[in-house]
Amino acid sequence: MRPLRDSLLLLARSERLKRMVTSLPVSAGVVRGYVAGETVEEAVEAVAGLAEHGIDATVDRLGEDTVEPEHARATVEAYLALLARLAERGLAEQAEVSVKLTALGLSLPGGGHRVALENARTICRAARNAGTTVTVDMEDHTTTDATLAILRELRQDFPETGAVVQSYLRRTEADCRRLAREGSRVRLCKGAYDEPSDVAFTDPAEVDRSYVRCLRVLFEGGAYPMIATHDPRLVRIAEALAQRHARRPETYEYQMLYGVRPVEQRRLAEAGHRVRVYVPYGEEWYGYLVRRLAERPRNLTLFVTSLISKK
Ligand code: FAD
């Protein structure tokens, strides 16, 4: 499976393929299965639908690798509008937002760090005013140090800000030790980017073992783990660890992606667990979609069919 996954992640960088694929209306089957829609209203409707089942959300406005300052500013404006709409609909308690620092300007030449930090601060302030929080997504390994540095700065004023770590990175167990403090919100995922073997485990079993070690560190350190996985075995292990540490249900949560294992999402919520679904929306869904297809190559058939029929 890995060569196929790697080729797909490489294809994610092809501009020609991107133009062809993005000519698909967002309603095309596979895209719609993973993305709530292109507008704020569609995202908010998805949040409301989850809330009816007792499931919380973290909403992500799709877009990454911004190289234009205006684009980063537009992203901030979009998050402010989203937060205002969530508050108006009385959904801010159920829904926080996830942001990618490269969408906020991290890669801008000269001073990207400062721009991304200021933009993230603006979003954190608006989130707090709306009564909710922000989690800073983790991107490829070249951005890990900068992302964690910005997170540390953000947490000085907004300690509620969530971190994300990826168990496929060899460094992550050490990062977890630094992040595992009382109340520190840390999303633990396996990692979705194409990473070289000098920085990342390439054997899926090693990634899983690292996941368990990191989770143990987070529970032991008193953090608030956000267990982001669809892997049934890891969900079972997480539950056993939570019990061993006598964790009450409100001191950790499960997270899954919009459209992935919805029956399991509801089962966990009905069993009394806090569950949060990552709800992506927006026009720039291409990179996100390719990462999801790389995780699940059997969806390719459906994807290719929708490309050909252009429905
Ligand atoms: P896998 O071993 O990939 O999957 C386990 C099982 O889950 C599969 O057998 C299948 O049944 C099901 N499944 C998994 N993926 C899919 C899919 N796409 N479609 C259908 N079924 C599927 N990654 C980052 O790098 N940075 C982030 O900030 C980040 N944030 C995330 C936030 C949330 C809430 C979640 C759930 C994931 C996030 N990810 C992020 C993605 C993550 O790193 C993995 O790439 C993704 O979750 C797949 O890994 P898995 O743990 O589900 O395990």
Side-chain angles (χ1 to χ4, degrees):
M1 273 308 170
R2 198 172 157 83
L4 181 55
R5 176 180 181 273
D6 293 350
S7 320
L8 272 170
L9 290 172
L10 262 181
L11 276 179
R13 299 198 198 117
S14 155
E15 275 306 313
R16 196 154 157 250
L17 188 71
K18 179 176 174 180
R19 274 198 301 279
M20 186 166 86
V21 173
T22 49
S23 67
L24 276 169
V26 75
S27 54
V30 176
V31 183
R32 197 65 205 210
Y34 287 117
V35 175
E38 293 194 341
T39 66
V40 170
E41 272 327 298
E42 286 170 305
V44 172
E45 276 315 311
V47 170
L50 290 163
E52 279 174 23
H53 295 281
I55 296 175
D56 292 345
T58 182
V59 187
D60 169 50
R61 183 179 186 264
L62 292 166
E64 51 205 276
D65 298 333
T66 297
V67 283
E68 306 287 338
E70 307 81 66
H71 210 144
R73 268 197 295 278
T75 300
V76 176
E77 291 305 320
Y79 271 103
L80 300 188
L82 167 67
L83 285 160
R85 194 68 190 117
L86 287 169
E88 266 168 32
R89 287 281 306 265
L91 290 167
E93 232 177 82
Q94 283 87 21
E96 62 146 31
V97 296
S98 282
V99 298
K100 282 191 175 48
L101 292 180
T102 66
L104 300 184
L106 184 63
S107 323
L108 291 177
H113 181 108
R114 189 184 44 78
V115 174
L117 173 61
E118 280 318 307
N119 284 338
R121 268 207 185 107
T122 305
I123 297 171
C124 286
R125 203 171 298 119
R128 185 182 279 174
N129 289 340
T132 188
T133 51
V134 175
T135 290
V136 181
D137 280 354
M138 190 55 84
E139 303 178 65
D140 74 73
H141 81 276
T142 62
T143 65
T144 309
D145 280 327
T147 303
L148 292 177
I150 288 180
L151 179 89
R152 272 194 300 279
E153 291 177 83
L154 283 174
R155 279 183 164 185
Q156 288 172 10
D157 294 324
F158 305 98
E160 65 275 26
T161 308
V164 180
V165 286
Q166 300 150 318
S167 74
Y168 65 11
L169 291 188
R170 297 176 188 275
R171 60 177 285 166
T172 295
E173 193 178 340
D175 287 331
C176 284
R177 290 190 196 287
R178 282 185 282 273
L179 288 164
R181 283 179 285 99
E182 185 76 28
S184 165
R185 298 171 65 243
V186 184
R187 178 194 298 158
L188 175 62
C189 62
K190 291 189 187 180
Y193 296 81
D194 182 22
E195 299 289 15
S197 60
D198 56 328
V199 300
F201 301 115
T202 49
D203 173 1
E206 272 195 282
V207 176
D208 290 0
R209 281 196 290 275
S210 164
Y211 195 103
V212 176
R213 286 195 303 274
C214 292
L215 192 52
R216 204 172 276 143
V217 170
L218 294 176
F219 272 126
E220 279 165 7
Y224 177 94
M226 303 191 275
I227 305 152
T229 183
H230 314 95
D231 188 328
R233 205 169 67 89
L234 290 179
V235 170
R236 279 196 302 277
I237 292 174
E239 198 41 31
L241 283 175
Q243 275 177 14
R244 190 176 312 157
H245 291 276
R247 286 299 195 101
R248 295 187 313 282
E250 65 276 16
T251 66
Y252 64 97
E253 68 185 41
Y254 290 103
Q255 294 194 345
M256 295 195 184
L257 300 175
Y258 180 81
V260 181
R261 303 199 68 207
V263 176
E264 175 67 358
Q265 294 169 13
R266 288 185 199 175
R267 186 194 70 77
L268 285 166
E270 280 160 16
H273 294 291
R274 187 178 279 177
V275 181
R276 189 180 299 279
V277 166
Y278 188 98
V279 176
Y281 81 98
E283 290 167 15
E284 292 186 41
W285 41 260
Y286 180 74
Y288 181 85
L289 177 74
V290 174
R291 287 196 292 277
R292 300 292 79 80
L293 290 175
E295 283 154 10
R296 188 78 165 166
R298 90 163 82 131
N299 283 344
L300 267 181
T301 324
L302 186 55
F303 179 56
V304 171
T305 313
S306 62
L307 257 187
I308 293 166
S309 62
K310 292 245 179 140
K311 304 192 283 213

